[in-house]
């Protein structure tokens, strides 16, 4: 039924499972920088072109080795990428269009493997380190993956998928190559026999380059399919209009390369700018602050909860203030993954002087599509559609709402949602618009204000209440370290507002505190939004990408 594409790679599995054309979002390439040639290999564009244009000796990737900064230049990275690509093609026998699962922490080998897969015209399916055999099997089955490259310390869960006696056996997976490993047969050993000569496969701009599974919280994971062109387009949108990096910038941060937020921020954006990136395998807020100081990082990417904890640590008023946190090098900070509460923005600014750049992105859209620069912040807003994207707030019938009305966020631009063989395509894309599942409001000046995930809106006694608004309010109280707000089923009101609160050290969750917090919210926002129930907890459930798992809070509340 499918017609072969003129430039089809030998294995057309992923292309054949794209949604039918009428279910695609409208793609827009309105800017001059978004006019791409018909043939484009994203790894060649990011790496080979940097070397060819004379940047081979510039630093590309920094890593801490025994606490000391170690660097790989663009030329060194290219040599390593070429040799891995040779292993994939010559030893593993892979052909363009085959899928390769990648499993590793953020480090230079993981980055090199990703680039090698793309350069060889294969399809990268990067997975987050915390995923278990169950989730890996779902992805392997869905994307029909035959080969994996895995960081040795993470071997266990993926090895389970090759065991025919395991319930997580994934029969298509034939071979796993392990890296970060000194043993015989490791990728490091295999590459040592290779010449380092490898010409990038001449892919079409719209050949599939990667399948990113959504970090969705429930149900079967959805694979979002992205082309070589999409990787470059994400680099030519948000970074160009909001971040404005230069060659001397040093990026650092927490999002995994397996999350498209991290793929951009930790690898593709720095490379597109010929800048460098610091890859650290495990970061806490404390270690991220130390990393910024040690590597003199200039740009940081992380989630709101990290900025909040970093602000607390870096504040000079904090009794635990660590004089090692020298943040003088830091110039720009990007927050995404969930809404940035204004309280966090203000605390971080007070501690560091930096105005965070907030941006909403999605795995389906590849990266950020609404954001702002530090100069154009509007309190409480995510920003405006970035150049290259259009956005509007729609009602239930897909009609644009007037300013000031809460509705569904709809976006379109050079990238967009294409699920791999999934009926849910029909709910994400309607009439050419991508519907992200977020409730938003646009003001008269065109600024977009996040309200909540559409299915997280709380309806209490007929009122619509956005949990994040109540969270933002609670976070401005001096006793509150973190909080999460959900709707709890209630016979009389339908739902009531319930807050889970993590208190700062020295505060106690008793009745007096509950009364204090309730009164505080009633004074700051419309009183009907106040949390009728407050539960004090040690920590909140979060995904590996820093997102609050509200469904877990709801389960906890129901139990
Ligand atoms: C939420 C935000 C408010 C929103 C992502 C930047 O998060 C990313 O991708 P996911 O697929 O989740 C998408 C959903 O997350 N969200 C993200 N950023 C914000 N809500 N303010 C924000 N700034 O519900 C969105 O629909 O995991 C973020 C770049 C790439 C990404 N993949």
């Amino acid at each position: 039924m499918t017609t072969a594409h003129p430039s089809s790679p030998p294995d057309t599995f992923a292309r054949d499972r794209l949604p039918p054309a009428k279910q695609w979002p409208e793609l827009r390439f309105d800017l001059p920088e978004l006019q791409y040639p018909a043939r484009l290999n994203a790894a060649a564009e990011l790496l080979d072109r940097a070397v060819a244009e004379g940047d081979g000796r510039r630093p590309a990737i920094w890593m801490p080795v025994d606490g000391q900064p170690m660097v790989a230049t663009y030329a060194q990275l290219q040599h390593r990428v070429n040799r891995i690509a040779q292993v994939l093609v010559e030893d593993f026998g892979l052909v363009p269009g085959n899928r390769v699962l990648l499993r590793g922490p953020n480090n230079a080998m993981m980055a090199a493997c990703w680039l090698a897969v793309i350069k060889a015209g294969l399809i990268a399916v990067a997975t987050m380190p915390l995923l278990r055999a169950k989730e890996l099997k779902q992805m392997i089955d869905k994307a029909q993956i035959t080969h994996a490259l895995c960081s040795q310390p993470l071997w266990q869960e993926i090895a389970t998928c090759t065991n025919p006696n395991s319930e997580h056996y994934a029969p298509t997976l034939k071979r796993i190559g392990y890296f970060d490993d000194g043993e015989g047969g490791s990728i490091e050993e295999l590459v040592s026999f290779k010449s380092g000569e490898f010409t990038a496969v001449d892919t079409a701009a719209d050949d599939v380059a990667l399948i990113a599974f959504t970090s969705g919280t429930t149900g079967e994971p959805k694979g979002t399919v992205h082309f070589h062109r999409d990787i470059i387009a994400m680099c030519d949108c948000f970074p160009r209009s909001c971040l404005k990096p230069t060659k001397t910038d040093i990026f650092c941060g927490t999002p995994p390369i397996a999350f498209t937020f991290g793929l951009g921020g930790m690898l593709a954006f720095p490379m597109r700018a010929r800048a460098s990136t610091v890859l650290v395998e495990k970061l806490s807020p404390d270690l991220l602050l130390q990393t910024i100081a040690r590597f003199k990082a200039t740009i940081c990417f992380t989630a709101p909860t990290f900025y909040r904890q970093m602000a607390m640590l870096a504040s000079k008023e904090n009794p635990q203030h660590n004089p090692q946190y020298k943040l003088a090098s830091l110039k720009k900070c990007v927050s995404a993954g969930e809404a940035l509460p204004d309280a966090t923005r203000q605390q971080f600014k007070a501690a560091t002087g930096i105005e965070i750049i907030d941006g909403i992105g999605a795995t389906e859209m590849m990266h950020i599509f609404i954001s702002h620069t530090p100069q154009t912040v509007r309190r409480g807003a995510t920003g405006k559609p970035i150049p290259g994207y259009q956005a509007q707030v729609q009602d239930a019938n897909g009609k644009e709402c007037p300013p000031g009305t809460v509705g569904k966020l709809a976006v379109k631009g050079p990238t967009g949602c294409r699920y791999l063989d999934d009926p849910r395509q029909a709910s994400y894309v309607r009439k050419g618009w991508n519907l992200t599942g977020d409730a938003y409001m646009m003001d008269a000046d065109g600024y977009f204000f996040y309200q909540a995930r559409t299915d997280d809106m709380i309806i209490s006694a007929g009122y619509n209440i956005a949990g994040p608004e109540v969270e933002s309010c609670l976070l401005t109280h001096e006793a509150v370290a973190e909080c999460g707000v959900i709707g709890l089923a209630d016979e009389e009101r339908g739902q009531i507002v319930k807050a889970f609160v993590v208190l700062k050290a020295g505060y106690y969750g008793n009745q007096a505190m509950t009364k204090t917090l309730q009164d505080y919210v009633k004074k700051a926002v419309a009183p009907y939004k106040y949390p009728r129930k407050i539960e004090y907890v040690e920590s909140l459930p979060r995904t590996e990408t820093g997102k609050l798992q509200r469904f877990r809070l709801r389960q906890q509340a129901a139990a």
Side-chain angles (χ1 to χ4, degrees):
M1 182 197 120
T2 45
T3 42
H5 194 258
S7 61
S8 278
D11 179 350
T12 59
F13 171 88
R15 172 164 294 283
D16 293 345
R17 277 152 194 82
L18 288 172
K22 63 176 192 324
Q23 286 189 7
W24 281 38
E26 184 191 344
L27 296 174
R28 307 220 38 122
F29 301 92
D30 298 331
L31 306 174
E33 59 267 29
L34 298 177
Q35 313 302 314
Y36 297 110
R39 314 294 304 178
L40 181 69
N41 180 304
E45 182 69 17
L46 292 174
L47 184 57
D48 297 351
R49 195 164 153 196
V51 176
E53 291 179 357
D55 285 319
R57 296 173 69 171
R58 298 196 67 86
I61 298 181
W62 298 92
M63 294 216 310
V65 174
D66 299 328
Q68 293 307 310
M70 270 268 295
V71 73
T73 63
Y74 277 84
Q76 288 166 335
L77 180 61
Q78 184 189 42
H79 188 64
R80 183 170 325 168
V81 166
N82 285 352
R83 296 199 299 176
I84 300 171
Q86 286 180 288
V87 168
L88 293 170
V89 172
E90 295 164 16
D91 300 0
F92 287 14
L94 294 170
V95 297
N98 287 168
R99 280 75 55 207
V100 179
L101 185 140
L102 296 172
R103 180 160 173 76
N106 281 6
N107 66 23
M109 256 322 259
M110 177 72 174
C113 288
W114 186 87
L115 288 161
V117 167
I118 304 291
K119 190 162 178 179
L122 308 166
I123 298 174
V125 185
T127 61
M128 299 209 219
L130 288 183
L131 293 185
R132 300 279 175 204
K134 174 175 179 278
E135 290 119 348
L136 294 173
K137 174 187 164 52
Q138 287 176 321
M139 296 174 187
I140 296 166
D141 287 350
K142 185 125 208 195
Q144 297 279 293
I145 294 170
T146 53
H147 289 71
L149 296 177
C150 176
S151 175
Q152 206 280 332
L154 296 174
W155 67 275
Q156 211 156 10
E157 298 289 329
I158 184 97
T160 305
C161 297
T162 60
N163 175 1
N165 298 321
S166 162
E167 58 173 317
H168 303 309
Y169 178 53
T172 57
L173 186 61
K174 298 278 175 285
R175 182 165 179 180
I176 307 171
Y178 290 102
F179 59 89
D180 295 335
D181 182 6
E183 297 297 306
S186 67
I187 297 296
E188 281 87 348
E189 191 191 57
L190 294 176
V191 302
S192 70
F193 302 117
K194 301 298 177 192
S195 66
E197 305 285 322
F198 187 88
T199 307
V201 169
D202 179 30
T203 44
D206 62 351
D207 275 342
V208 178
L210 61 94
I211 302 171
F213 281 90
T214 56
S215 57
T217 43
T218 43
E220 177 105 345
K222 291 172 273 194
T224 67
V225 178
H226 297 288
F227 301 153
H228 284 264
R229 183 185 65 213
D230 300 327
I231 297 168
I232 304 302
M234 78 166 161
C235 299
D236 292 341
C237 286
F238 170 75
R240 225 176 221 265
S241 52
C242 299
L243 189 60
K244 305 183 170 103
T246 66
K247 282 189 183 181
T248 54
D249 273 313
I250 301 174
F251 288 59
C252 76
T254 60
I257 290 173
F259 179 31
T260 61
F261 179 41
L263 177 66
M266 296 293 93
L267 188 63
F269 296 174
M271 291 186 75
R272 186 70 168 160
R274 311 279 165 86
S276 62
T277 183
V278 185
L279 295 180
V280 180
E281 301 195 356
K282 253 199 162 19
L283 285 171
S284 60
D286 164 60
L287 286 172
L288 181 51
L289 287 164
Q290 292 189 37
T291 301
I292 293 166
R294 181 169 308 145
F295 290 86
K296 298 195 168 53
T298 59
I299 292 179
C300 175
F301 276 69
T302 190
T305 165
F306 255 71
Y307 284 118
R308 191 164 174 85
Q309 296 173 66
M310 286 161 74
M312 285 194 260
L313 289 169
S315 161
K316 304 244 159 39
E317 286 150 33
N318 184 340
Q320 301 149 357
H321 178 78
N322 183 338
Q324 275 185 339
Y325 301 151
K326 290 195 182 62
L327 303 180
S329 63
L330 194 60
K331 291 186 303 194
K332 293 170 195 168
C333 291
V334 179
S335 171
E338 61 179 3
L340 176 71
D342 189 61
T344 305
R345 173 187 287 292
Q346 302 309 338
Q347 281 167 9
F348 193 80
K349 190 157 65 175
T352 65
I354 294 176
E355 186 81 76
I356 295 173
I357 302 171
D358 184 12
I360 177 172
T363 308
E364 288 83 350
M365 301 301 298
M366 195 77 169
H367 218 274
I368 292 172
F369 45 83
I370 295 177
S371 185
H372 57 80
T373 65
Q375 292 73 39
T376 56
V377 176
R378 177 160 295 192
R379 251 197 143 107
T382 318
K384 293 185 177 184
I386 62 177
Y389 287 88
Q390 302 174 3
Q392 55 178 229
V393 175
Q394 297 183 346
D395 67 15
N397 301 316
K399 248 189 75 217
E400 185 173 7
C401 298
T405 316
V406 175
K408 298 175 178 201
L409 180 65
V411 291
K412 58 171 93 155
T415 59
C417 177
R418 286 171 302 246
Y419 288 132
L420 182 76
D421 190 17
D422 201 307
R424 290 169 285 188
Q425 177 76 17
S427 27
Y428 202 95
V429 176
R430 296 256 174 94
K431 294 186 193 145
W433 291 91
N434 299 274
L435 299 177
T436 63
D438 298 292
Y440 256 84
M441 189 271 288
M442 190 189 79
D443 72 7
D445 300 325
Y447 281 90
F448 282 73
F449 290 76
Y450 176 79
Q451 312 292 310
R453 293 284 306 165
T454 25
D455 37 14
D456 284 344
M457 285 295 285
I458 302 166
I459 303 171
S460 185
Y463 289 109
N464 278 322
I465 302 166
E469 187 190 0
V470 184
E471 288 163 13
S472 295
C473 174
L474 282 167
L475 285 173
T476 59
H477 191 277
E478 55 175 14
V480 177
E482 276 198 280
C483 66
V485 168
I486 57 157
L488 188 67
D490 179 78
E491 234 162 73
E492 196 185 325
R493 295 170 180 270
Q495 283 184 306
I496 57 166
V497 177
K498 169 159 186 179
F500 290 82
V501 172
V502 180
L503 291 172
K504 287 187 192 161
Y507 292 94
Y508 299 96
N510 49 27
Q511 268 182 349
M513 176 59 79
T514 298
K515 175 96 175 52
T516 305
L517 293 177
Q518 288 174 329
D519 289 344
Y520 183 78
V521 175
K522 283 187 203 170
K523 281 212 188 87
V525 298
Y528 63 83
K529 296 177 183 170
Y530 87 95
R532 284 171 190 267
K533 287 219 162 113
I534 297 184
E535 183 175 333
Y536 299 95
V537 289
E538 293 286 307
S539 65
L540 294 173
R542 289 191 182 276
T543 63
E544 205 171 349
T545 59
K547 278 194 218 302
L548 179 62
Q549 293 171 304
R550 289 200 171 71
F551 76 101
R552 280 187 194 250
L553 292 179
R554 281 193 286 265
Q555 284 168 355
Q556 206 172 312

